[in-house]
Amino acid sequence: MSDDHFLVIEPAQKWVDVIHNDWFPTEYNQITKPTGHPLLYTGLHYLLFKCLQTIGIYEPQTKMYVVRFIHAIYSLSIVYFGFKITERLSNINTAKTVGLLLGLLWFMPIMSVRNLIEFVCIPPLLYATWLFIKTEGRKRWIIYFWIGILLGIGFNIRFQTFTFLAGFGLSMLILKKWKESLLALLGFLICIALVQAFTDIIIWKKPFTELSEYIRYNIENANNYITQSWYMYLTLIGGILIPPISLFIMFGFIKIWKKHLILFLPAFLFFVFSFYFSK
């Protein structure tokens, strides 16, 4: 996958090498305008590579070993939060099953150690979900502010998570958590302002430039890539989760929609958007 290297590793190293004319790899090798890529994740790799070279590590394979190791440890949080959420809402035995599925399904370990924003954005979103479930029923208002920060981090890593965020916010409103919703929104806005707006002002002299370019590009180029039927994404998910396990998960997912709205609605809206966009 080209995103794994050419949208994260190569630009970050070029920033370290002060090669700024090749902001992100393009046909013309000259960047004079935003490309619609979130800069937080690539920027963190820039800091990592800068630190590694400061202590004398220049060899690419050694750098990538460090990157893969950090991602491996980071990805274990997906198993942890999945376990804790299930334990709170169900029981310890079901939680163990969920933990095993998250850790053993073949695509999760393979993809989680790679530089793919589709997986890197998952831990902060899961952490926000766990905090909401853990705090529900308690008057700990500051927690909802941090939930907003975590959702903002997930968005700053991958813009497409806006559908998940919309479902999360809508769930809170349906559950009549008005004050909590405002605190979460405040945390989210502060996060994207500090990361997106501030960074874009420094680089492009205008806030939310990369986000605007992301939206423009995807609208104008929606049909310029491989397109499939609307159910393509559904069959993909059903396949990689390995039938009949995938069928059990899908039926269970639909069954709990009302009981666990905060789990159902964010994922459901994300799936619906993916079904539509796959056309």
Side-chain angles (χ1 to χ4, degrees):
M1 297 182 179
S2 61
D3 291 9
D4 182 27
H5 183 84
F6 298 110
L7 294 183
V8 180
I9 301 301
E10 183 179 5
Q13 184 58 53
K14 286 184 175 179
W15 298 348
V16 173
D17 296 335
V18 198
I19 305 176
H20 293 149
N21 68 313
D22 195 4
W23 191 249
F24 280 101
T26 64
E27 179 181 356
Y28 304 105
N29 214 34
Q30 183 76 24
I31 297 298
T32 57
K33 63 178 184 179
T35 56
H37 295 102
L39 302 178
L40 174 63
Y41 184 48
T42 308
L44 291 175
H45 281 75
Y46 159 76
L47 294 176
L48 173 63
F49 294 160
K50 192 76 172 178
C51 290
L52 290 176
Q53 292 191 186
T54 300
I55 61 176
I57 298 177
Y58 292 86
E59 207 274 321
Q61 287 189 341
T62 304
K63 289 182 180 179
M64 288 310 301
Y65 177 85
V66 174
V67 169
R68 300 301 188 211
F69 180 79
I70 291 174
H71 281 69
I73 299 299
Y74 175 73
S75 69
L76 291 177
S77 64
I78 297 175
V79 179
Y80 174 78
F81 292 129
F83 176 90
K84 297 299 291 185
I85 289 171
T86 309
E87 184 184 29
R88 175 61 64 93
L89 298 179
S90 183
N91 56 63
I92 186 66
N93 290 328
T94 304
K96 289 178 180 178
T97 301
V98 168
L100 286 172
L101 288 174
L102 288 173
L104 295 178
L105 282 172
W106 65 270
F107 69 94
M108 290 291 287
I110 291 175
M111 298 300 184
S112 293
V113 298
R114 307 191 72 81
N115 296 98
L116 300 172
I117 58 173
E118 294 83 355
F119 282 80
V120 177
C121 70
I122 295 175
L125 299 182
L126 265 182
Y127 188 18
T129 305
W130 163 237
L131 283 181
F132 180 90
I133 292 171
K134 180 181 179 182
T135 310
E136 195 168 14
R138 305 178 186 177
K139 301 297 183 180
R140 299 180 63 185
W141 307 115
I142 191 63
I143 295 297
Y144 293 96
F145 175 80
W146 288 113
I147 287 174
I149 294 287
L150 289 166
L151 294 175
I153 292 172
F155 179 77
N156 284 323
I157 294 173
R158 189 188 186 197
F159 291 147
Q160 196 173 332
T161 58
F162 78 91
T163 49
F164 183 96
L165 272 58
F168 201 102
L170 184 57
S171 298
M172 294 181 69
L173 293 176
I174 293 174
L175 295 171
K176 298 182 179 180
K177 294 185 177 295
W178 314 114
K179 184 181 293 186
E180 296 90 332
S181 300
L182 290 174
L183 286 169
L185 178 61
L186 177 62
F188 173 77
L189 292 176
I190 289 176
C191 183
I192 64 172
L194 291 175
V195 178
Q196 288 295 324
F198 182 71
T199 304
D200 285 351
I201 288 174
I202 292 176
I203 299 173
W204 307 115
K205 314 305 178 186
K206 183 179 171 183
F208 302 111
T209 311
E210 291 288 351
L211 177 59
S212 300
E213 176 61 19
Y214 171 84
I215 296 172
R216 182 204 66 79
Y217 179 85
N218 280 278
I219 291 175
E220 295 181 3
N221 295 273
N223 296 313
N224 292 340
Y225 295 90
I226 298 174
T227 56
Q228 300 289 339
S229 301
W230 68 269
Y231 53 81
M232 181 274 294
Y233 192 68
L234 184 62
T235 55
L236 171 65
I237 296 298
I240 62 177
L241 288 177
I242 308 175
I245 295 175
S246 58
L247 298 177
F248 300 155
I249 293 174
M250 289 179 183
F251 285 127
F253 175 69
I254 296 172
K255 185 178 179 180
I256 59 92
W257 77 270
K258 191 173 184 180
K259 184 178 180 181
H260 302 307
L261 192 65
I262 198 68
L263 297 181
F264 174 82
L265 196 54
F268 179 74
L269 289 186
F270 184 86
F271 287 148
V272 169
F273 176 80
S274 299
F275 297 156
Y276 174 77
F277 205 77
S278 66
K279 298 171 64 178

